[in-house]
Amino acid sequence: MICKFEELYQQEAQAQRARYEQLRSGFAKQFGSDDGGEYFSAPGRTEVGGNHTDHNHGRVLAAAVNLDIAAYARKTDDGKVVLKSAEYPKVDVVDLNDLSRKEEEKETSGSLLRGICARCKELGYQVGGFEAYTITRVLKGSGLSSSAAFEVLAVTIISHLYNDDKIDPVTAAKIAQYAENVYFGKPSGLLDQMASSVGGFTSIDFKDPENPIIRKVDFDITAAGYALCVVDTGGNHADLTGEYAAIPAEMKQVAAFFGKDVLRDVDEKAFYEKIGEIRKQTGDRAVLRAMHFFDDDRLAAEEAQVLQNGDFESFKQMIITSGRSSSQRLQNVFAVVNPQEQGLSLALALTERLLKGKGAWRVHGGGFAGTIQAFVPLDSLEEYRSAIEAVFGNGTCYTLSIRQAGGTKVVF
């Protein structure tokens, strides 16, 4: 994809010009000159419906947002990928002559770059050296998937520099997920990468993960009189990989009871008939998480349909129902390893008190720490922001807009 700068950033274009100037100057400072470079961008994403359903081949509703990571990059002929992020002191260097997975590199941005290059090569795409300098607005830990945006950005650069823009958005998302799963070491589903890569408001059905069904949803939240807010509660994501990994693992334990790999292939009626037996084999939490999957998988599809129909009132009630299920059955609003830290639970309780009868709210993304999502009436936005930031700090309430473009080259 190629997007014009003004079309990509719209009302933010003037402010973003300064960031793009910083990109180019930062690149020149890091690499000696800015000759021959090009601009690229990939968006963060917001998960709207389908909380932890993707990894069991369920349905989701997601959207690319206006907060993005941007890069200035150019080809090199030295067989190395060298990337410097403005926000981090470390320079990532990947030698393309050795794309094997490095145990000591796990959970680093370098592992993502190496994994992306390796997977592109395995799939028959051309891979070559490049230098890149990045600046991000998708803050780490914001719940807007900074890692997926970074991954999609890297694939986009490779697609344009070496493959004539022939890596399609779905394949790009799969390459990004592979790098995160195999090289980085995080057992994530495909929602984050797909939402960032495809762009827009998107309903995705992962029943066949190799061929997901993607449908654009045409809806303008602002025109409905609401703002989409994400509140960063400031939670610590350290040592939570086990908490995240337990959710798909426990859901798949229930699926295994029926001889299936994932819950999407399990008959819901048979599940409820066998709960007494299942809980003896898997434990109660796995059963509750399976209950959440069946309902949230269905809700994600229904949410997309009512939005397409313009029925925002029904949509809000579905969001609240989904959020309640995440809290009570999925149980991802705080980590059992650190029960004293319950920022998500507090933010949800405060938001319910502030918006009850007017808006909608739910946990956002993977959960356990990080962010919640709220649909706030425009006439209550400043009141809500003031009240929630009084608790979590100035600048913790992000008002987002939906971005139509996924990973893209940016031209002026």
Side-chain angles (χ1 to χ4, degrees):
M1 177 180 285
I2 300 175
C3 284
K4 290 184 178 180
F5 180 86
E6 297 286 344
E7 293 176 0
L8 184 65
Y9 292 106
Q10 300 180 27
Q11 67 269 24
E12 293 185 301
Q14 189 59 39
Q16 288 309 304
R17 283 187 182 278
R19 183 166 69 124
Y20 271 57
E21 290 171 3
Q22 291 170 10
L23 267 179
R24 191 158 186 160
S25 62
F27 181 96
K29 182 178 180 181
Q30 181 67 37
F31 299 108
S33 78
D34 59 9
D35 296 341
E38 298 175 282
Y39 293 104
F40 300 89
S41 167
R45 70 93 186 99
T46 183
E47 172 205 284
V48 180
N51 193 215
H52 280 282
T53 55
D54 57 327
H55 46 59
N56 268 257
H57 297 190
R59 291 165 284 189
V60 301
L61 179 61
V65 298
N66 57 311
L67 300 182
D68 68 335
I69 178 172
Y72 189 74
R74 70 179 173 201
K75 277 185 176 183
T76 60
D77 57 8
D78 61 359
K80 293 180 181 179
V81 171
V82 184
L83 184 143
K84 174 69 171 70
S85 297
E87 296 79 18
Y88 304 102
K90 184 175 180 291
V91 178
D92 291 308
V93 180
V94 173
D95 187 338
L96 298 177
N97 293 312
D98 180 10
L99 294 178
S100 60
R101 184 171 61 88
K102 310 293 182 186
E103 188 65 28
E104 68 275 12
E105 204 174 52
K106 282 181 66 176
E107 299 187 1
T108 68
S109 53
S111 71
L112 294 173
L113 289 171
R114 193 180 302 276
I116 286 165
C117 291
R119 189 59 172 164
C120 284
K121 196 170 183 179
E122 287 174 8
L123 294 175
Y125 293 108
Q126 295 296 313
V127 176
F130 65 87
E131 298 166 330
Y133 185 85
T134 69
I135 297 177
T136 187
R137 296 195 295 165
V138 191
L139 302 178
K140 188 176 181 180
S142 67
L144 300 173
S145 200
S146 57
S147 59
F150 177 85
E151 294 154 14
V152 170
L153 180 75
V155 180
T156 301
I157 291 171
I158 292 170
S159 180
H160 280 273
L161 294 186
Y162 287 99
N163 295 279
D164 298 321
D165 192 25
K166 290 181 179 177
I167 304 180
D168 65 89
V170 172
T171 302
K174 292 177 184 177
I175 291 169
Q177 184 205 21
Y178 174 89
E180 186 163 301
N181 289 176
V182 178
Y183 278 66
F184 187 86
K186 181 179 178 181
S188 66
L190 190 55
L191 182 153
D192 295 350
Q193 292 85 358
M194 192 69 77
S196 178
S197 186
V198 172
F201 226 148
T202 313
S203 174
I204 311 171
D205 187 337
F206 289 113
K207 185 172 179 61
D208 177 2
E210 292 303 311
N211 300 284
I213 299 170
I214 301 168
R215 183 166 64 91
K216 292 283 188 176
V217 178
D218 185 17
F219 187 82
D220 188 336
I221 292 174
T222 304
Y226 280 78
L228 170 59
C229 295
V230 168
V231 179
D232 185 357
T233 67
N236 184 5
H237 285 78
D239 301 322
L240 292 181
T241 297
E243 295 274 14
Y244 292 122
I247 293 178
E250 290 179 8
M251 287 183 178
K252 289 174 182 178
Q253 286 172 15
V254 175
F257 178 90
F258 293 94
K260 305 294 184 181
D261 293 328
V262 292
L263 282 176
R264 184 67 182 276
D265 295 333
V266 173
D267 180 73
E268 185 178 359
K269 184 173 182 292
F271 162 76
Y272 278 102
E273 289 173 349
K274 297 285 188 179
I275 280 182
E277 298 174 47
I278 298 168
R279 66 189 292 256
K280 293 176 184 176
Q281 182 170 309
T282 67
D284 292 334
R285 189 172 72 171
V287 171
L288 286 162
R289 285 174 164 171
M291 291 172 68
H292 166 83
F293 171 86
F294 287 119
D295 284 348
D296 226 43
D297 171 58
R298 183 166 44 248
L299 268 174
E302 292 173 353
E303 287 162 359
Q305 190 58 56
V306 297
L307 271 190
Q308 189 65 50
N309 295 342
D311 184 1
F312 196 66
E313 290 304 311
S314 294
F315 171 79
K316 288 190 298 179
Q317 291 308 309
M318 291 176 179
I319 289 293
I320 292 171
T321 299
S322 172
R324 188 175 296 120
S325 179
S326 291
S327 296
Q328 297 176 351
R329 298 186 291 184
L330 186 61
Q331 300 177 44
N332 68 332
V333 293
F334 70 91
V336 294
V337 295
N338 187 14
Q340 295 304 310
E341 184 178 294
Q342 295 200 28
L344 293 181
S345 300
L346 177 58
L348 289 166
L350 289 170
T351 299
E352 180 176 11
R353 182 175 183 274
L354 292 164
L355 299 183
K356 192 169 186 179
K358 296 185 291 184
W361 50 91
R362 68 193 285 275
V363 65
H364 181 246
F368 298 112
T371 60
I372 70 159
Q373 183 181 82
F375 293 87
V376 183
L378 290 174
D379 59 10
S380 302
L381 180 57
E382 290 312 313
E383 179 184 356
Y384 174 76
R385 188 198 310 277
S386 176
I388 209 77
E389 289 190 350
V391 177
F392 296 104
N394 292 334
T396 54
C397 180
Y398 302 92
T399 302
L400 307 177
S401 60
I402 306 303
R403 164 171 151 162
Q404 294 305 312
T408 184
K409 177 181 173 181
V410 183
V411 297
F412 286 83

